[in-house]
Amino acid sequence: MKRINTPAEWNPLWLSHLQKNERIGFVPTMGALHQGHLDLVQKSVQNTDTTLVSIFVNPTQFNNPEDFKKYPNTLEDDLEKLESAGVDYVFVPEVNTIYPEKAELKLDFGDVERVLEGEFRPGHFNGVGVVVSKLFHFIRPHVAFFGQKDLQQVAIIKRLVRDLSFPIELEIVPTRREEDGLAMSSRNLRLNPEERIQALILIQSLEKAKRELFDGKSWFQVQKEIERDFQQVPLAKLDYFELVHPDTFESQTEFNPEKKSSICVAAYLGEIRLIDNLPIIP
């Protein structure tokens, strides 16, 4: 595995793969890698000729500066995991490589960025859109791999690729979960033992809501019941629990089992904010 730090180092390598007519797979990450990230890597290794993974904690997508400062840094461990997984290149840029000057561009993704995560984390998706655009321009992959856990981010990136005509295929990989059901996340490393136990309310509420919807309860009934369940978990504070269309993120007030939808949840466990979702596909 070769480590590169600047686009200039990558350019001749990219050209050599292009001349061999090889497909380049790209997995953008912020490090603190877990098995969910490695699922994306494995998918790329299996389905493309060469795989590049980026590790860059993007400051512009954190609307909470403390959250950025406390984001886990496990670079040496990450590099070992990627080498063992068969990655060909890892791109580890400095902040001033990605942002030689402050980015002034503002991206507007329409209604999809004004609800749920967009409402609770203003500016977050602009930061995501700008950094992903930069990475796509630097790496110029044929295929990019993203995880389903960040469902709203996936919708944003699909719109980015569509509207800016990036010649890139997107592969969305299902959420990887711990044995007890908690969605894998780098933020899980910051949970204390009690918070970790109580964090199971996220997946439990999603599964309960799905069951009750199929049992015929209205979304209003289900939503109110889940809100009461969260109030019984001392360390949990619910931000939202919503039924949405997975592409537009338009809120659904009535459940139709014959149309695709997703249940999305975000909550704090102590000071750590976690998100999860459960797709409903006919």
Side-chain angles (χ1 to χ4, degrees):
M1 184 176 74
K2 182 176 177 61
R3 175 173 171 172
I4 54 179
N5 301 298
T6 67
E9 294 173 66
W10 170 241
N11 288 341
L13 299 167
W14 172 80
L15 186 58
S16 69
H17 289 293
L18 205 64
Q19 288 169 336
K20 296 175 199 170
N21 203 29
E22 292 179 347
R23 279 166 60 82
I24 298 166
F26 175 44
V27 181
T29 81
M30 294 206 300
L33 303 183
H34 51 68
Q35 189 56 49
H37 295 109
L38 297 179
D39 285 353
L40 307 182
V41 169
Q42 183 180 37
K43 193 90 169 172
S44 178
V45 169
Q46 290 173 344
N47 293 285
T48 65
D49 299 300
T50 192
T51 293
L52 183 149
V53 176
S54 65
I55 297 176
F56 178 66
V57 183
N58 176 39
T60 67
Q61 68 190 68
F62 287 84
N63 54 316
N64 180 348
E66 283 302 307
D67 205 15
F68 173 64
K69 287 179 188 174
K70 292 178 180 177
Y71 196 85
N73 181 343
T74 58
L75 182 59
E76 294 309 314
D77 184 50
D78 292 345
L79 295 174
E80 287 180 18
K81 287 177 179 176
L82 294 176
E83 185 143 32
S84 297
V87 168
D88 301 290
Y89 304 98
V90 59
F91 178 46
V92 190
E94 297 290 337
V95 172
N96 61 8
T97 299
I98 302 295
Y99 299 107
E101 297 179 12
K102 181 183 176 183
E104 301 290 351
L105 180 70
K106 302 296 181 191
L107 298 173
D108 188 333
F109 293 96
D111 290 345
V112 72
E113 75 160 82
R114 289 186 249 286
V115 297
L116 304 194
E117 290 303 286
E119 180 182 351
F120 283 88
R121 302 176 68 187
H124 170 67
F125 287 125
N126 178 71
V128 169
V130 169
V131 78
V132 170
S133 296
K134 283 174 172 279
L135 290 169
F136 281 172
H137 282 304
F138 292 155
I139 307 305
R140 289 157 290 173
H142 296 91
V143 194
F145 297 82
F146 292 88
Q148 182 183 279
K149 184 181 80 72
D150 296 303
L151 189 67
Q152 194 169 4
Q153 176 177 282
V154 166
I156 289 286
I157 292 167
K158 284 181 176 177
R159 190 162 293 188
L160 184 80
V161 168
R162 182 195 73 191
D163 288 0
L164 296 183
S165 301
F166 280 107
I168 296 171
E169 297 172 33
L170 296 180
E171 286 278 346
I172 311 306
V173 179
T175 302
R176 168 71 75 140
R177 298 185 178 277
E178 305 285 358
E179 287 187 13
D180 58 10
L182 184 68
M184 288 189 177
S185 169
S186 303
R187 294 172 189 270
N188 294 351
L189 297 172
R190 295 172 55 195
L191 298 169
N192 68 35
E194 191 59 32
E195 290 166 348
R196 174 64 181 77
I197 292 168
Q198 295 190 26
L200 292 177
I201 183 65
L202 273 79
I203 183 59
Q204 290 166 354
S205 65
L206 290 170
E207 291 175 339
K208 177 179 178 178
K210 184 174 179 179
R211 282 195 309 271
E212 295 197 339
L213 287 171
F214 277 99
D215 284 344
K217 283 193 178 181
S218 73
W219 173 245
F220 178 78
Q221 289 175 299
V222 170
Q223 192 178 43
K224 291 303 175 189
E225 196 170 319
I226 296 300
E227 288 172 359
R228 287 194 293 270
D229 289 348
F230 267 89
Q231 290 168 3
Q232 303 305 309
V233 180
L235 299 178
K237 176 179 173 291
L238 183 65
D239 265 357
Y240 60 75
F241 193 84
E242 296 290 342
L243 182 70
V244 301
H245 189 286
D247 297 325
T248 64
F249 269 72
E250 183 181 353
S251 180
Q252 311 286 296
T253 55
E254 295 182 7
F255 173 64
N256 184 340
E258 296 181 1
K259 293 183 178 179
K260 66 179 181 177
S261 57
S262 290
I263 312 170
C264 297
V265 60
Y268 279 92
L269 277 301
E271 296 182 354
I272 313 306
R273 189 173 184 275
L274 301 178
I275 63 172
D276 201 355
N277 66 83
L278 199 60
I280 301 173
I281 302 169

